[in-house]
Amino acid sequence: MNSFQKLGAILSEPKNSSKFALFTATAFAVLAVTSGTIIVPDLILNPLVDPLKVMVIGAIAILIALNLTVILNSRKTTATTAFGATAGIAAGTVTTACTFCPPIIFIWLGAGTTGALFTDISIYIGIASIIFLSVALHYSLKDNCEVKQ
């Protein structure tokens, strides 16, 4: 059984698919607001936003939601989660950045303007986030399936 089949089996359960939808909407909303993709007072799309950046933000939001759904499913069935998968999710989430927003870790630390240093390489940081989250998802699915057997 490959990773896509395992993921399909997890998402075929109604509870898990509703969790995934909720996590995706929440993650995209948070990332879109912090990145300036959505202008908060009017809730409109920023006309100056780069479409590539929106796609990276969307991919990151989907991967965060998939990881959270798989980990919650794993915790429901086994009560344990692989440390590497959890660390990958944390690394991917914390390093998330785009042209308009600093990495979330800087906001949490109170140094939001430090992100201006990374505007030239933010797409690469976003791609690194996608890689971290994809690897974390792979190992989460691997651990989830191995324990069930």
Side-chain angles (χ1 to χ4, degrees):
M1 191 175 220
N2 67 21
S3 295
F4 292 113
Q5 292 171 334
K6 294 174 197 173
L7 189 59
I10 290 170
L11 291 177
S12 65
E13 296 177 24
K15 275 188 172 181
N16 288 337
S17 56
S18 61
K19 287 178 191 175
F20 170 68
L22 177 68
F23 292 148
T24 302
T26 304
F28 188 76
V30 168
L31 292 174
V33 168
T34 59
S35 68
T37 303
I38 294 178
I39 300 170
V40 179
D42 302 327
L43 292 177
I44 59 171
L45 184 65
N46 186 349
L48 302 175
V49 73
D50 183 14
L52 179 62
K53 307 294 183 190
V54 175
M55 289 182 2
V56 169
I57 290 170
I60 290 169
I62 289 170
L63 285 168
I64 288 171
L66 285 172
N67 276 298
L68 288 173
T69 304
V70 169
I71 282 190
L72 286 178
N73 183 61
S74 172
R75 302 227 5 125
K76 177 182 73 173
T77 57
T78 64
T80 60
T81 304
F83 174 75
T86 306
I89 292 170
T93 304
V94 164
T95 60
T96 302
C98 65
T99 301
F100 303 107
C101 64
I104 292 175
I105 187 74
F106 292 147
I107 294 172
W108 290 342
L109 294 175
T113 57
T114 311
L117 302 172
F118 298 110
T119 56
D120 293 338
I121 61 168
S122 63
I123 190 70
Y124 302 112
I125 295 172
I127 291 170
S129 296
I130 291 171
I131 291 169
F132 281 139
L133 290 167
S134 298
V135 170
L137 181 62
H138 169 72
Y139 284 110
S140 295
L141 288 169
K142 181 179 174 186
D143 292 338
N144 193 17
C145 185
E146 287 176 356
V147 173
K148 282 185 173 181
Q149 291 178 349

